Amino acid sequence: MLTQAPKGTRDMLPQDAYMWQAVEAKMRALAARWGYREIRTPVFEHTELFLRGVGGTTDIVTKEMYTFLDKGERSITLKPEGTAGAVRAFIEGKLYNEALPCKMYYLNAPIFRYEKPQAGRLREHHQFGMECFGGKEPTVEAELINALMELLTDLGLQNLSVHINSIGCPDCRPKYHEKLKEYLGDRIKDMCPTCQERFEKNPLRILDCKEEKCKEIVKDAPAIIDCLCDDCKSHFERLQALLSAQGIPFAVDSRIVRGLDYYTKTVFEIIMQSGREGLALCGGGRYDGLVKELGGPETPAAGFGIGTERILMELRNANALPECPSITDVYVANLGAEMAAPAFTFCQNLRKNGVKADCDLAGRSLKAQFKFADKIGAKFVALVGGDEYERGVIKLRDMATKEEKEISLETAADEIAKMF
Ligand code: HAM
């Protein structure tokens, strides 16, 4: 127990950090180009936020939240998704009084869901999300989908498919619910207990069931896009036109209904064609009612969330992980304990000159220092000591070619810095 991380959680070990940082750097650069600024919200929030925000009938709220009472008897929940916290902060910070649309992103926010752990499904994962408040036009969804496609292709992922759907608004969705219930009729008794439960509370989610017998029954169900009101229909058509004009291939997929209750109009997922069923790389959509629902002024909004672990999993499968940068370019070895202090000083000089440098911290012999330099992949070893040191020079060994040259100690840091 003591040396085992809790089930469904993963350490990011130092040797893997570069992958996360490479992906994060691309996310940050992308968000900046699209005009999104960073937001950080607490890891935990009042439970009520998610009950109201995410929805009381969703799996996330009913089965997956990490909820506990704090010492003041308040019900607290570890963030099970990023949108509700961003909306709460938007309202609390009165950002609706600032220039709108207000565009924000969160980077590797830890998200907690008590799920059955498996490949790509963790109990703690990290999300990059972009959220836009105050834009009612379909250009918002178009720019979000565009940003995602650019990010994923830039990272080296191919065979991506964009699946979009519209799940209507409070005007047209209830009418669709009736139509769907009418279609399901007696057949509901042959469906799984979850679908039976959803029949009254949230029939749309029946379309999302992964059970074979339920999938068979709903395959001929009426599609919600055929029941949209004029406003939702026109919004969805304009989004499709925008995506087509950008050359982004997409599929209209009536099975995409998403597992969170706040969506209105557009919902979308990006799926790897080679990926496992039910494991989208990314999900998002419009949530025009959520700011108001949580106590703010009526504000249209849309966004997406993407799991960094899933991106890294797909990059690994595609053999497209970022290249590992060197840890140390120059290892400064000392020729004996009496040279440890001058070697340390020289190492510090290299660092001040911008060189990735390291030196002995363990009191090792020269042979052991070389072995260590080799292990960490140092490109050069600078030798401090011996008669060279008395002559005011150091020896620099190229670890690949084994060539050696002498450099004046006075100018060495500067000269070596120019090599990188
Ligand atoms: P979501 O589809 O629940 O949406 O999650 C978004 C993404 O987070 C998924 O597509 C996946 O990459 C990742 N993810 C979700 N659950 C797990 C898990 N258990 N393990 C690993 N990765 C996971 C949301 O959370 C919405 N808040 C997205 C959104 C933002 N909609 C509008 N704005």
Side-chain angles (χ1 to χ4, degrees), residues 191-205:
M191 301 183 87
C192 73
T194 315
C195 285
Q196 292 182 10
E197 209 183 303
R198 286 174 175 163
F199 186 75
E200 286 307 333
K201 291 186 189 152
N202 195 353
L204 190 68
R205 295 271 294 125

Side-chain angles (χ1 to χ4, degrees), residues 58-96:
T58 60
D59 282 355
I60 292 181
V61 166
T62 55
K63 302 185 192 151
E64 296 171 0
M65 294 207 303
Y66 280 86
T67 298
F68 57 95
L69 287 182
D70 72 4
K71 290 189 199 301
E73 301 279 300
R74 295 172 205 91
S75 181
I76 293 292
T77 294
L78 302 183
K79 235 173 356 198
E81 63 96 53
T83 309
V87 174
R88 199 258 317 125
F90 175 80
I91 300 169
E92 191 172 347
K94 295 194 172 47
L95 303 186
Y96 46 79

